[in-house]
Amino acid sequence: MRRGDVGPAGGLLSAKMRTYGFIVSFLAIPLALYVVFVISPYIQAFYISLTNWKGISANPRYIGFENFGRLLDDEVFWAAVRHHGLLLLAMPLITIAIALFFSFLLNLGGGTGGGRLTGVWGARFYRVVYFFPQVLAVAVVGVLFQAIYRPDGTGVLNGLLAAVGLGPVGWLTDTGLALWAIMAVVVWQSVGFYVVLFSAGMSAIPRDVFEAAALDGAGRFRLFFSITLPLIWDTIQVGWVYLGIAAFDCFALVQVLSVDRGGPDNATTVLPLEIWRTAFTFSKFGYASAMGVALFFLTITFAALSLRVTRRERIEF
C-alpha cells in the first residue's frame, strides 16, 4: 500500500468521524440553548438562594444557608409542602384510575364484535371529548370554573344544589374544601391526556392476547387486571411521574381560582405560588430562590423514588 492510501480500517474510522460530526452539528445549537436557558438559570438560582438579593442590587450579600434555616420555621412554606403531599397522594391516583377506566372502555369495553374485541360504540368521538379540556389554556379553565364554583346561587354547582333544596357551598371559600375543589379541576383537565396515553399503550398490545384470554373465559375484570395492567405498566409509571411533577406545580390554577392567592387562610397555597409571591410581591428573591431549590430537590426525589418503587420486570409481547 502506497503512502497516502487509506485502508479499510481508516476508511471506516473516517466515515464514523463524519457521522459523529454530522450528529454533533445538529445537536450543538439545541444543547447550547438548553444550557443557556435551563441549566444556567438553575445554577443562578442555587447561588441567589445563598444571598439576600432583593432583585435590585448588583452585588447581593452572601449569607450562606440562612435562607434555608428560615424555611424550617416558615409556617406558610410547610403548609404548601403539606398541600403538595396531599396532591401527590390523591391527584395521580384519581387521574390514573379514571384514565385507565375510560381507556379500557374505549379499547376493549365493547365486547366481541365480528370475532374481535372492540371498544364501546363511539369510541373515537369519546376520545376527542375526553381530550378537549387538555387543549384549553389554564387561564381559560380557571375562569370557567370560577363561574362553576361561584359561592352564591349564580354559580353552576350551587344553582343545581339550590334546585334540589340544598344550601350553597363555599367550594373555594371553605378551608377544608378549597384544595379538593382545585384538585378536581386539575384532574378534569388532565384525564384526557392520560386516556390518550394509556389507549396508545393498550393499542400496542396484540389483540390475539386478549382474544385468547376471552376464549379461555376471562371476563373484563380479569382482562384488565391480569393482562392489560401488567402489559402497560411502563406507560402507567411514566404517567405517574408526570402527574407527580404536575402536583408540584399547580401555580396557574391556584393563582386564578383560590381566594386571595392561596387562601382562604393559606388553605390552597403551593410552593410555586409562594415563590412568585415572595419574589415579586415582597422582593425577597434570595428567600424565593431557596424555596425554588427546595422545590427542585423535592421534585427530583419524588421522581427517583417513584421510578424505583414502581419498577417491575419488563414483560415482552
Side-chain angles (χ1 to χ4, degrees):
M1 182 181 296
R2 295 190 305 271
R3 182 177 298 179
D5 291 346
V6 179
L12 182 61
L13 180 61
S14 178
K16 286 185 176 181
M17 292 295 292
R18 286 196 300 269
T19 301
Y20 291 146
F22 180 75
I23 294 173
V24 169
S25 67
F26 272 94
L27 292 180
I29 294 177
L31 183 61
L33 291 174
Y34 184 80
V35 170
V36 171
F37 293 106
V38 178
I39 302 299
S40 175
Y42 274 118
I43 295 174
Q44 292 178 47
F46 284 119
Y47 168 70
I48 294 171
S49 68
L50 303 176
T51 69
N52 68 340
W53 191 44
K54 303 295 183 183
I56 301 175
S57 60
N59 298 309
R61 183 170 61 88
Y62 177 81
I63 59 174
F65 291 94
E66 183 178 323
N67 286 324
F68 294 96
R70 289 175 57 194
L71 286 179
L72 299 177
D73 298 321
D74 191 335
E75 294 181 1
V76 178
F77 170 80
W78 288 110
V81 171
R82 287 194 297 271
H83 297 157
H84 284 300
L86 178 60
L87 289 169
L88 281 173
L89 288 173
M91 194 181 81
L93 282 174
I94 296 170
T95 304
I96 289 175
I98 296 173
L100 282 173
F101 176 72
F102 287 157
S103 301
F104 187 77
L105 289 181
L106 295 178
N107 288 273
L108 302 167
T112 305
R116 297 182 65 85
L117 285 171
T118 60
V120 296
W121 182 84
R124 293 183 180 178
F125 172 74
Y126 292 133
R127 284 192 182 97
V128 175
V129 172
Y130 294 149
F131 192 76
F132 178 72
Q134 188 69 32
V135 305
L136 296 176
V138 177
V140 173
V141 173
V143 172
L144 173 66
F145 275 88
Q146 277 182 338
I148 293 174
Y149 284 147
R150 201 169 292 150
D152 53 25
T154 61
V156 175
L157 286 180
N158 281 327
L160 294 174
L161 292 176
V164 296
L166 298 177
V169 176
W171 301 101
L172 298 174
T173 57
D174 186 329
T175 55
L177 190 60
L179 186 62
W180 290 99
I182 294 175
M183 190 191 307
V185 180
V186 178
V187 171
W188 176 81
Q189 188 180 23
S190 302
V191 160
F193 173 80
Y194 294 96
V195 168
V196 173
L197 180 66
F198 297 151
S199 293
M202 293 180 191
S203 298
I205 302 173
R207 278 291 192 267
D208 296 344
V209 176
F210 296 111
E211 290 164 8
L215 288 174
D216 288 339
R220 287 185 176 88
F221 185 86
R222 180 65 67 183
L223 282 175
F224 179 76
F225 285 100
S226 297
I227 298 176
T228 308
L229 204 60
L231 291 180
I232 65 167
W233 186 257
D234 288 346
T235 307
I236 296 173
Q237 185 185 47
V238 171
W240 185 277
V241 173
Y242 282 175
L243 283 165
I245 294 173
F248 280 112
D249 186 9
C250 297
F251 167 79
L253 280 176
V254 174
Q255 170 84 336
V256 175
L257 284 175
S258 64
V259 177
D260 194 25
R261 295 175 181 172
D265 194 23
N266 294 319
T268 59
T269 190
V270 289
L271 281 178
L273 181 62
E274 286 306 314
I275 292 170
W276 176 85
R277 183 160 51 187
T278 302
F280 296 102
T281 301
F282 305 114
S283 296
K284 298 179 180 179
F285 283 82
Y287 190 51
S289 295
M291 288 186 182
V293 171
L295 178 60
F296 170 81
F297 282 110
L298 286 172
T299 306
I300 292 297
T301 302
F302 165 78
L305 288 176
S306 295
L307 291 173
R308 181 73 179 93
V309 171
T310 60
R311 186 173 61 184
R312 291 187 178 185
E313 183 178 351
R314 184 178 178 85
I315 299 175
E316 300 289 344
F317 54 85

